[in-house]
Amino acid sequence: AAGTVPRRRPLRSDMGPELPLLLLPLALLAAPARAEGGTAAAAEVQIEVLHLPEACSPKSKKGDLLNAHYDGFLASDGSKFYCSRTQNEGHPKWFVLGVGQVIKGLDIAMMNMCPGEKRKVTIPPSLAYGQQGYAQGKIPPNATLIFEIELYAVNKGPRSVEAFNQIDKDGDKKLSELEISQYLKEEFARDGKKRHPSAHDEILADIFKKNDHDRDGFISAKEYNVYQHDEL
């Protein structure tokens, strides 16, 4: 869809546009993440560093929330199929690294990248859209892709210990319906957008449907899926 990061599948196309940045932790809770990548696949992505700032901290890692601009080109003829600066009023894109929100090749290519860094990366079809291509994005089958990336910010991701603890008001290491409901209310109030009265209940129900795997009425740290083996 227009205004989104190129990805294999939508995060939550029906409610995503309604959610502000601060609600990303819960938007992502509603779409269980799937880690991708690996050392074998990493060797297939060609990375050229175009600019490296003197201060390179923090470096990006799986689970971080990144803010970046990038252009996408077909390697075959150099034609541009995507430009983030022409989408969403030119705002840089926010996404979580290493969880499949973007194509696998970009998840690999943007690891260990620092704020202010620019890279040119070449991604083979097997780590992009494969034999099927992506007609909506004007990407033919078996296309090798080139991306020019500029990374602006590296933040703690929405499934970090900090994000979990922010919602877990009583510190019992599990998220209750009341805690997530209160967090939703606070973020809706902070965002200030008008929403249908049923939006709160629908999102709350969806979060528990997608994440309360054992149906005990709570979302545990394991179900929340904190990245990088962070200790709670």
Side-chain angles (χ1 to χ4, degrees):
T4 61
V5 176
R7 59 184 68 171
R8 289 188 180 275
R9 57 203 179 278
L11 174 61
R12 280 281 291 155
S13 59
D14 55 335
M15 78 179 188
E18 292 297 318
L19 295 174
L21 175 61
L22 292 173
L23 275 177
L24 272 172
L26 295 174
L28 292 172
L29 273 173
R34 180 166 58 90
E36 298 186 276
T39 54
E44 300 179 42
V45 176
Q46 299 176 27
I47 299 174
E48 178 185 355
V49 177
L50 303 178
H51 173 72
L52 188 66
E54 291 185 12
C56 185
S57 179
K59 287 190 174 182
S60 60
K61 65 182 184 302
K62 176 182 165 186
D64 282 342
L65 182 62
L66 305 187
N67 185 233
H69 262 318
Y70 50 84
D71 296 332
F73 306 86
L74 297 179
S76 59
D77 60 8
S79 62
K80 183 183 291 187
F81 64 84
Y82 184 82
C83 177
S84 63
R85 291 174 176 82
T86 63
Q87 305 286 334
N88 193 29
E89 298 181 345
H91 296 301
K93 305 304 174 187
W94 289 97
F95 64 95
V96 178
L97 182 64
V99 302
Q101 284 186 21
V102 293
I103 58 173
K104 192 172 183 179
L106 278 176
D107 268 341
I108 294 169
M110 295 184 69
M111 290 287 183
N112 297 311
M113 198 171 178
C114 52
E117 185 175 342
K118 297 180 183 180
R119 290 182 178 181
K120 179 178 180 180
V121 303
T122 303
I123 299 172
S126 62
L127 298 175
Y129 296 96
Q131 296 180 0
Q132 293 75 28
Y134 182 46
Q136 185 178 348
K138 299 180 180 179
I139 298 171
N142 298 310
T144 296
L145 307 181
I146 296 173
F147 285 93
E148 293 182 358
I149 308 164
E150 183 173 5
L151 182 62
Y152 293 104
V154 177
N155 297 328
K156 285 285 187 180
R159 288 179 188 253
S160 65
V161 170
E162 290 84 354
F164 185 94
N165 290 338
Q166 184 180 0
I167 304 172
D168 182 24
K169 300 291 188 183
D170 62 8
D172 65 354
K173 308 306 178 188
K174 57 185 179 181
L175 307 181
S176 68
E177 186 172 322
L178 180 61
E179 286 172 330
I180 294 182
S181 175
Q182 183 59 37
Y183 185 79
L184 270 176
K185 290 177 182 177
E186 291 172 358
E187 294 303 325
F188 278 159
R190 190 176 303 171
D191 177 57
K193 290 185 178 180
K194 291 184 179 180
R195 292 178 175 82
H196 191 278
S198 65
H200 172 277
D201 292 341
E202 290 174 359
I203 294 174
L204 184 63
D206 193 68
I207 288 169
F208 273 86
K209 179 181 178 181
K210 296 290 201 309
N211 295 272
D212 182 16
H213 304 305
D214 60 10
R215 298 293 183 255
D216 67 347
F218 296 90
I219 296 174
S220 66
K222 183 177 180 180
E223 289 170 327
Y224 186 81
N225 189 23
V226 172
Y227 294 132
Q228 293 296 311
H229 307 291
D230 291 339
E231 295 297 328
L232 284 167

